[in-house]
Amino acid sequence: MKEINVLVINCGSSSLKFQLINSASEAVIAKGLCERIGIEGSQMTYTPAGGEKYEVKTPMEDHRSAIRLVLDALVDKDRGVVKSLDEIGAVGHRIVHGGENFASSTLITDEVIKAIEECNDLAPLHNPANLIGIRACKELMPQTPMAAVFDTAFHQTMPEEAYLYGLPYHYYEDYKVRRYGFHGTSHSYVSQRAAAVLGKDYKDLKIIVCHLGNGASVSAVKNGKCIDTSMGLTPLEGLIMGTRSGDIDPAIIEFLCNKENKSVQEILTVLNKESGVFGLSGGFSSDFRDLEKAYRAGEAFAIRTMKTFAYRVAKYIGAYTAAMNGVDAICFTAGIGENSPFIRTMIASYLGYLGITLDEEANVKRGEEIAISTPESATKVLVIPTNEELAIARETASLV
Ligand code: ADP
């Protein structure tokens, strides 16, 4: 494979995260974030490898001007990291929803853009923003190949019984209402790293990945293929998250509309933005660092919140153990999964039936790929820091 620098772009509705990664050394050459795009007070933070982080406060009226600013920073005479844009060999775009159109990453062509557009109504907050990023890069770097890496692609191997809902079948046929799953790049990366850490063949393992960040999901990876995952048509399903409810009885929506005199749209906003551990804790915080502190101080709201969160994760682990008829390794990743020994211990306390014992010393380590179960533990428990940007850069480099 040719050595290139890959610009990884993750466009949100008003933000843009980027990293420039060398495909051979896999080093991050520069990274940063543009915030408040199209809103007053826009700013870019930019960190060149080995250099100081700096902030540029300047109006960014749209994503095109944000990307222009990023490219200018990358080639800047003093603080830049490449001499010209020719040294950027490819751009990798994170795309949230690929629907059933994409089971793997792909080079971006006009047809691909159209097919991504077709998925817009499945992810109305995310896909249009991702497309703006693609169009802006196309305009500014017309000769540079670009790849689309989808959050949903890894989960496309799920069998029918895992992705279908118990709804009239024609909703699937007519509108493609089914489970898609998200965080696929992370689930794929972490499960493969788990096999490497265990020194086993990826295709011989049954792995459960718990991606526990602000958004959270669990997936079951059997013999190198995803066979089930907890997020659904949208990222609202599954685990209790920072502010998302996860699984609820769907009849609650109408019940609350009537009680609170709210529209379905308003209740969905509550389910997305005011629920999860934030809602359960009575609006205290969506951040597990705050919740953990309050738990230790014996606050009842924090105890009920963390117990409910951990119980839901444990329930999914049980379900996926059944789905795979066993499990060899359980992996924790993302903000909470990587950094909270407390939550990992709480979840593991439900898993005695899997013969799991945690190594308390390993469990408190940070920032490395590590087994946190004892050597005798019948099922391995691992912490694997996720790296979605690197995974996107690898996919992109392999395509161009
Ligand atoms: P996302 O990418 O979905 O926004 P992250 O994977 O960055 O989320 O995770 C963010 C969350 O990780 C924070 O909201 C916080 O709850 C949790 N977190 C980060 N550091 C710690 C820590 N040291 N202890 C417990 N939780 C942590």
Side-chain angles (χ1 to χ4, degrees):
M1 210 159 56
K2 207 173 80 180
E3 174 178 352
I4 54 168
N5 295 324
V6 181
L7 179 60
V8 176
I9 295 223
N10 182 354
C11 251
S13 54
S14 67
S15 70
L16 185 157
K17 279 192 240 171
F18 64 93
Q19 285 195 9
L20 187 66
I21 297 175
N22 181 273
S23 67
S25 67
E26 301 200 327
V28 177
I29 305 167
K31 62 178 180 181
L33 168 69
C34 299
E35 291 169 289
R36 302 183 64 84
I37 300 169
I39 309 172
E40 198 166 327
S42 23
Q43 68 165 33
M44 175 181 73
T45 36
Y46 173 85
T47 314
E52 295 263 309
K53 173 170 164 174
Y54 69 91
E55 280 178 11
V56 184
K57 288 194 180 8
T58 178
M60 291 176 233
E61 62 186 35
D62 53 20
H63 286 76
R64 193 178 168 280
S65 38
I67 291 174
R68 177 81 265 168
L69 207 67
V70 171
L71 298 178
D72 286 347
L74 292 171
V75 298
D76 184 74
K77 257 204 332 291
D78 302 320
R79 293 191 276 199
V81 287
V82 288
K83 286 197 197 72
S84 81
L85 292 184
D86 296 342
E87 289 180 35
I88 298 174
V91 182
H93 291 272
R94 177 202 178 201
I95 311 293
V96 168
H97 218 307
E100 285 187 332
N101 295 340
F102 299 101
S104 59
S105 310
T106 181
L107 281 176
I108 296 176
T109 61
D110 288 342
E111 285 81 66
V112 168
I113 292 180
K114 219 189 269 161
I116 296 172
E117 241 163 16
E118 279 168 19
C119 304
N120 276 2
D121 62 349
L122 293 172
L125 297 179
H126 295 101
N127 270 32
N130 299 158
L131 282 162
I132 291 173
I134 292 180
R135 293 206 167 95
C137 285
K138 224 175 141 204
E139 237 182 282
L140 295 166
M141 318 162 76
Q143 305 307 328
T144 311
M146 300 199 286
V149 181
F150 300 91
D151 265 24
T152 47
F154 181 62
H155 304 303
Q156 277 295 302
T157 48
M158 279 188 287
E160 202 175 48
E161 62 269 28
Y163 71 67
L164 284 179
Y165 290 116
L167 290 170
Y169 188 65
H170 67 89
Y171 290 152
Y172 169 61
E173 292 176 306
D174 296 343
Y175 312 122
K176 295 279 174 243
V177 172
R178 51 159 285 178
R179 174 182 313 286
Y180 290 97
F182 299 87
H183 296 137
T185 313
S186 176
H187 287 289
S188 163
Y189 174 86
V190 169
S191 52
Q192 289 184 62
R193 288 305 310 153
V197 169
L198 294 170
K200 297 241 167 84
D201 190 339
Y202 189 43
K203 297 215 163 68
D204 286 339
L205 287 168
K206 295 170 180 172
I207 301 170
I208 294 175
V209 178
C210 305
H211 177 110
L212 310 179
N214 216 356
S217 64
V218 189
S219 68
V221 184
K222 188 180 181 186
N223 305 334
K225 289 205 163 88
C226 175
I227 62 137
D228 207 345
T229 191
S230 60
M231 283 178 165
L233 175 79
T234 75
L236 187 53
E237 193 181 346
L239 299 181
I240 294 168
M241 312 183 207
T243 61
R244 291 188 200 125
S245 63
D247 301 336
I248 61 163
D249 178 346
I252 291 172
I253 297 175
E254 190 203 16
F255 184 87
L256 287 179
C257 284
N258 293 336
K259 290 281 181 203
E260 296 259 302
N261 197 20
K262 285 192 160 117
S263 66
V264 168
Q265 191 64 43
E266 285 169 321
I267 294 299
L268 276 175
T269 303
V270 173
L271 297 183
N272 271 300
K273 304 229 154 97
E274 296 164 32
S275 301
V277 294
F278 174 78
L280 258 175
S281 65
F284 172 72
S285 177
S286 64
D287 194 307
F288 271 75
R289 285 162 287 204
D290 303 333
L291 287 164
E292 211 175 298
K293 225 184 263 167
Y295 185 107
R296 290 183 197 282
E299 298 283 5
F301 69 83
I303 294 169
R304 72 167 177 248
T305 300
M306 292 187 73
K307 274 179 145 173
T308 314
F309 174 88
Y311 178 71
R312 179 75 56 90
V313 178
K315 239 168 54 162
Y316 267 96
I317 291 173
Y320 290 167
T321 302
M324 295 193 288
N325 190 21
V327 57
D328 299 304
I330 297 169
C331 309
F332 288 100
T333 194
I336 302 156
E338 290 167 30
N339 295 304
S340 177
F342 192 76
I343 272 290
R344 294 194 295 254
T345 305
M346 254 179 131
I347 295 167
S349 73
Y350 289 98
L351 306 178
Y353 68 98
L354 291 174
I356 286 177
T357 43
L358 287 192
D359 173 341
E360 292 310 328
E361 241 170 71
N363 190 27
V364 296
K365 290 200 175 147
R366 281 269 172 89
E368 54 184 302
E369 294 179 338
I370 190 170
I372 59 166
S373 49
T374 59
E376 299 75 42
S377 189
T379 304
K380 304 294 167 207
V381 183
L382 309 174
V383 173
I384 308 275
T386 192
N387 194 338
E388 291 167 276
E389 287 78 13
L390 176 59
I392 293 172
R394 281 182 185 166
E395 290 275 318
T396 306
S398 73
L399 283 168
V400 300

